[in-house]
Amino acid sequence: MSKRITGIPFCTNRHYNCLYVVLDSLLRFHGHEPTVPCFSNWDFVYLRDRRRFAIDGRAIPLPTMLGAFGIGLSHRAEADPEAAWKAVRSLLDTGTPVAVSVDVHALARAGLYPRLRHADHQYIAAGYDDRAGTVHLIDPSPWQPSARDIPLGLFLASWDMSAFSGVRDRYNWTWLRAPAQPPALGRATTQALLRRNLRSMSATRGQAGPVMGLEGIRQLAVDAGAWAGREDADLQSHLRHCARLLLEIAVLREGHGRFLGHLGRLFDQPGLAALGAELGTISQGWFVAKSLCLKGALKEPASLLPRIQSRLQDIGAREGKALAGLAEAVEW
């Protein structure tokens, strides 16, 4: 038997991590604009800690967000490769492409990946050929897009995630269950969502210590100024950690700007469209803050802290003005 699923697009957003890349491709394959279900929430949660901290721009889990648009996100894992492959084959037979977590080390040894190291990466399984003994594997990323048939044995070797600590089930996969007709966004539903965003970004403190919304951004700016007391090596590690987190925030702000632009066009609301453009501009400020943190992680970290703090303060002020605009735009 053989099966080949066609029409799976590559992703073009170079800021996405590999999870977003695969979701972008799978959502487009199912006929959805990824901006709508993936970036509908505007959040900022800052979890402070003496040595480490966390920033989360998505307080609602992704499966819940997708579910609000009628899209199911399913995940399974197995310890046995034969059982795992049988389950994935059954999905492919129904025309459902499957995202798989792959350790690229085996692919790199076969010359199919540029860096010979253990690394978790997301691919899409989109077919198989029993006679040839191959699996059709797609990497939709903009950095190294590829679609190739590889031997089943090589696929199973790369699919094995046992090299990573804490892994219980070595083979795992994810797929989308999307409605045949993408649901339309209604006015009432949209307004309720925007009001939720307005409340979450205007909130003060949540439970168990997180600092929410605008207050979280402002507190991060204050704390950044206090990082100067750290030893250089510790500060560089701190800034490297911060850069990774701020990149995620920048991507979310950029996506939310596109989401608001989509709403402005859908409901003929110029105020929402203008707010979407402003969120897109604000996202560039987050990208700059991320780059400053990364630069500080490489050299002279303390000298860059005032610029990082100033950038975060400016972002907080701009997001505050954008929230005021949202308060007006949501009541159309």
Side-chain angles (χ1 to χ4, degrees):
M1 290 183 60
S2 65
K3 179 70 178 183
R4 176 70 59 87
I5 301 171
T6 60
I8 300 174
F10 291 139
C11 176
T12 59
N13 191 309
R14 298 186 66 84
H15 294 308
Y16 286 176
N17 60 32
C18 60
L19 173 61
Y20 284 140
V21 163
V22 165
L23 274 175
D24 181 284
S25 294
L26 292 181
L27 285 166
R28 292 188 191 281
F29 171 78
H30 286 289
H32 287 271
E33 166 53 50
T35 293
V36 176
C38 283
F39 298 105
S40 56
N41 286 320
W42 184 4
D43 287 295
F44 190 90
V45 182
Y46 176 36
L47 297 169
R48 304 174 67 196
D49 186 80
R50 188 179 68 84
R51 295 194 53 82
R52 281 291 194 186
F53 60 94
I55 298 171
D56 187 358
R58 177 174 284 126
I60 296 178
L62 188 59
T64 302
M65 293 173 61
L66 292 172
F69 292 89
I71 303 167
L73 183 66
S74 299
H75 178 81
R76 276 191 60 189
E78 286 279 359
D80 176 65
E82 291 187 8
W85 176 233
K86 181 179 179 180
V88 168
R89 272 182 56 124
S90 67
L91 286 167
L92 297 178
D93 286 338
T94 67
T96 303
V98 180
V100 290
S101 294
V102 169
D103 180 353
V104 299
H105 186 258
L107 299 179
R109 293 184 63 184
L112 301 180
Y113 196 82
R115 288 168 288 186
L116 187 58
R117 62 184 176 87
H118 290 285
D120 181 6
H121 191 50
Q122 293 287 313
Y123 281 78
I124 297 174
Y128 63 89
D129 188 321
D130 287 337
R131 177 173 293 181
T134 58
V135 176
H136 189 60
L137 204 62
I138 296 174
D139 184 352
S141 72
W143 320 286
Q144 51 195 27
S146 64
R148 55 167 62 95
D149 295 323
I150 68 170
L152 176 60
L154 177 58
F155 168 68
L156 294 177
S158 65
W159 196 15
D160 183 353
M161 304 297 290
S162 59
F164 298 91
S165 62
V167 172
R168 183 185 65 181
D169 294 315
R170 297 160 60 182
Y171 307 90
N172 64 83
W173 63 100
T174 304
W175 70 99
L176 296 180
R177 294 174 285 105
Q181 182 65 34
L185 279 173
R187 174 175 168 172
T189 301
T190 300
Q191 287 179 316
L193 171 61
L194 294 180
R195 291 188 185 107
R196 192 215 71 86
N197 289 347
L198 187 62
R199 288 193 303 271
S200 66
M201 283 301 293
S202 303
T204 53
R205 295 183 182 274
Q207 298 177 351
V211 190
M212 313 293 291
L214 285 177
E215 185 181 352
I217 298 172
R218 292 164 181 157
Q219 187 62 61
L220 176 61
V222 171
D223 289 352
W227 294 344
R230 296 172 177 268
E231 297 291 334
D232 276 2
D234 186 34
L235 177 54
Q236 287 175 315
S237 174
H238 209 64
L239 289 175
R240 191 175 299 110
H241 176 66
C242 189
R244 288 195 295 269
L245 299 177
L246 293 188
L247 175 60
E248 176 79 0
I249 296 299
V251 169
L252 293 171
R253 289 299 187 272
E254 183 181 58
H256 193 67
R258 293 198 304 273
F259 170 70
L260 292 176
H262 173 82
L263 294 185
R265 293 186 296 271
L266 182 65
F267 295 106
D268 192 23
Q269 294 297 318
L272 283 176
L275 185 59
E278 174 61 10
L279 261 289
T281 301
I282 290 172
S283 74
Q284 298 310 305
W286 284 109
F287 282 119
V288 171
K290 179 272 299 183
S291 297
L292 288 173
C293 288
L294 190 58
K295 184 177 180 181
L298 298 175
K299 60 179 181 180
E300 301 177 0
S303 66
L304 286 171
L305 287 181
R307 292 175 61 187
I308 294 170
Q309 185 178 38
S310 176
R311 177 63 62 174
L312 291 171
Q313 289 169 338
D314 177 68
I315 289 171
R318 296 194 68 172
E319 292 215 3
K321 291 180 180 178
L323 278 178
L326 179 61
E328 295 179 3
V330 74
E331 301 302 336
W332 78 83

